[in-house]
Amino acid sequence: MPGSGHALVTGASSGIGAAIAREYARRGVPLVLSARREDRLQALAATLRGQVAVQCIPADLADPLAPRWLQEEIGRRGLHVSHLVNNAGYGVPGRYLSSEWKTHADFLQVMVTAVAELTHRFLPPMEAAGHGRILNVASLAGLVPASAGHTLYGAAKAFVIRFSESLAQETATRGVHVTALCPGMTWSEFHDVNGMRARVSKLPAWLWLNADRVARLGVAAVERGDARCVTGGVNRILAGLSKYLPESAARALIDRRSRDFRDSD
């Protein structure tokens, strides 16, 4: 992997994004880190520059102009992106109607449109070079029945999974691997941002993985060319149950436990 180009990681300021950046640095891949919080990016970059070259480009992907600007800025710096990690994301807690439309529109821009646009912008040079890796961070929530609350989250992640799987088939003969990374409960700032930390912390420890392990599994999967990576045995069982259980039983199970990890008020 060293020498093949830079890894662009969005949402790299914390959590799984920061862990994926650390994993690529461990593998010798130079980095372009992007997120809204420049101070957090610079702090992470300072810890990684002893291993690889690191560039920081702050951007807010809720801005529809951000994907194009990010591509242009990377071009102005003379960098080639051979690894794209679409990781930026968050959750909107509560019922669908408890938030104004602008909140949902921004969410969809970050979680769906920016993922598709960044991929569309950075994929052509990968295909031209005959080598590329695209790791789209989805979620177990995109594979199991929907629950009340965080209404668009599972739907957005289901899109990312299907998008990645289709793209993986299109690019397989062109040297580009595309993977949907589907973690379950992961120790990160995600639950602090959406206000669910106290509630999800009551869930049993065996449901959780740390972000570094999720990152290692995801990067290994995209290097192998796996179209989908569900992290951890427990999560693979849950995904399997939701697939093979009768739909009514799977939905009832999710409904019964959803308040442990979703705010539906």
Side-chain angles (χ1 to χ4, degrees), residues 159-252:
F159 166 84
V160 171
I161 293 167
R162 296 299 182 230
F163 169 64
S164 301
E165 290 173 341
S166 292
L167 202 61
Q169 294 183 60
E170 293 179 14
T171 63
T173 60
R174 294 174 169 84
V176 179
H177 297 173
V178 182
T179 299
L181 175 59
C182 304
M185 293 296 180
T186 304
W187 294 111
S188 72
E189 291 184 6
F190 178 87
H191 299 292
D192 298 313
V193 173
N194 68 19
M196 293 294 291
R197 170 61 61 197
R199 190 175 298 180
V200 299
S201 293
K202 297 176 183 177
L203 293 170
W206 50 264
L207 279 175
W208 295 85
L209 293 179
N210 67 54
D212 287 333
R213 184 178 176 197
V214 169
R216 288 194 300 272
L217 292 169
V219 172
V222 76
E223 286 303 314
R224 286 193 303 269
D226 299 344
R228 182 194 296 179
C229 174
V230 180
T231 60
V234 170
N235 293 324
R236 287 193 292 273
I237 291 170
L238 291 173
L241 284 174
S242 69
K243 182 177 180 180
Y244 294 110
L245 278 178
E247 184 176 350
S248 58
R251 193 170 302 284

Side-chain angles (χ1 to χ4, degrees), residues 24-259:
Y24 273 124
R26 187 184 71 81
R27 291 169 176 250
V29 180
L31 296 165
V32 179
L33 306 180
S34 185
R36 291 178 299 114
R37 298 176 291 184
E38 183 174 11
D39 59 334
R40 299 290 294 271
L41 289 180
Q42 294 293 352
L44 176 62
T47 69
L48 299 178
R49 286 197 172 108
Q51 299 172 264
V52 294
V54 184
Q55 304 244 2
C56 296
I57 307 179
D60 183 357
L61 291 177
D63 179 354
L65 299 179
R68 178 178 177 179
W69 178 85
L70 189 55
Q71 180 195 34
E72 291 174 347
E73 179 61 23
I74 288 170
R76 278 193 291 270
R77 299 188 186 194
L79 308 176
H80 166 61
V81 171
S82 57
H83 301 67
L84 171 62
V85 181
N86 285 307
N87 166 76
Y90 58 98
V92 177
R95 296 179 65 244
Y96 185 57
L97 294 181
S98 66
S99 296
E100 62 182 0
W101 173 245
K102 178 64 164 60
T103 299
H104 294 311
D106 288 349
F107 175 88
L108 291 170
Q109 172 63 35
V110 173
M111 305 288 281
V112 175
T113 305
V115 172
E117 184 175 353
L118 286 170
T119 300
H120 195 268
R121 289 183 175 280
F122 287 103
L123 177 57
M126 294 181 190
E127 289 196 344
H131 177 274
R133 303 290 184 260
I134 299 174
L135 183 60
N136 293 324
V137 179
S139 171
L140 182 64
L143 295 170
V144 300
S147 62
H150 292 64
T151 321
L152 291 175
Y153 188 80
K157 293 304 188 180
F159 166 84
V160 171
I161 293 167
R162 296 299 182 230
F163 169 64
S164 301
E165 290 173 341
S166 292
L167 202 61
Q169 294 183 60
E170 293 179 14
T171 63
T173 60
R174 294 174 169 84
V176 179
H177 297 173
V178 182
T179 299
L181 175 59
C182 304
M185 293 296 180
T186 304
W187 294 111
S188 72
E189 291 184 6
F190 178 87
H191 299 292
D192 298 313
V193 173
N194 68 19
M196 293 294 291
R197 170 61 61 197
R199 190 175 298 180
V200 299
S201 293
K202 297 176 183 177
L203 293 170
W206 50 264
L207 279 175
W208 295 85
L209 293 179
N210 67 54
D212 287 333
R213 184 178 176 197
V214 169
R216 288 194 300 272
L217 292 169
V219 172
V222 76
E223 286 303 314
R224 286 193 303 269
D226 299 344
R228 182 194 296 179
C229 174
V230 180
T231 60
V234 170
N235 293 324
R236 287 193 292 273
I237 291 170
L238 291 173
L241 284 174
S242 69
K243 182 177 180 180
Y244 294 110
L245 278 178
E247 184 176 350
S248 58
R251 193 170 302 284
L253 178 62
I254 293 295
D255 286 345
R256 198 159 54 242
R257 298 308 304 269
S258 63
R259 281 192 167 272

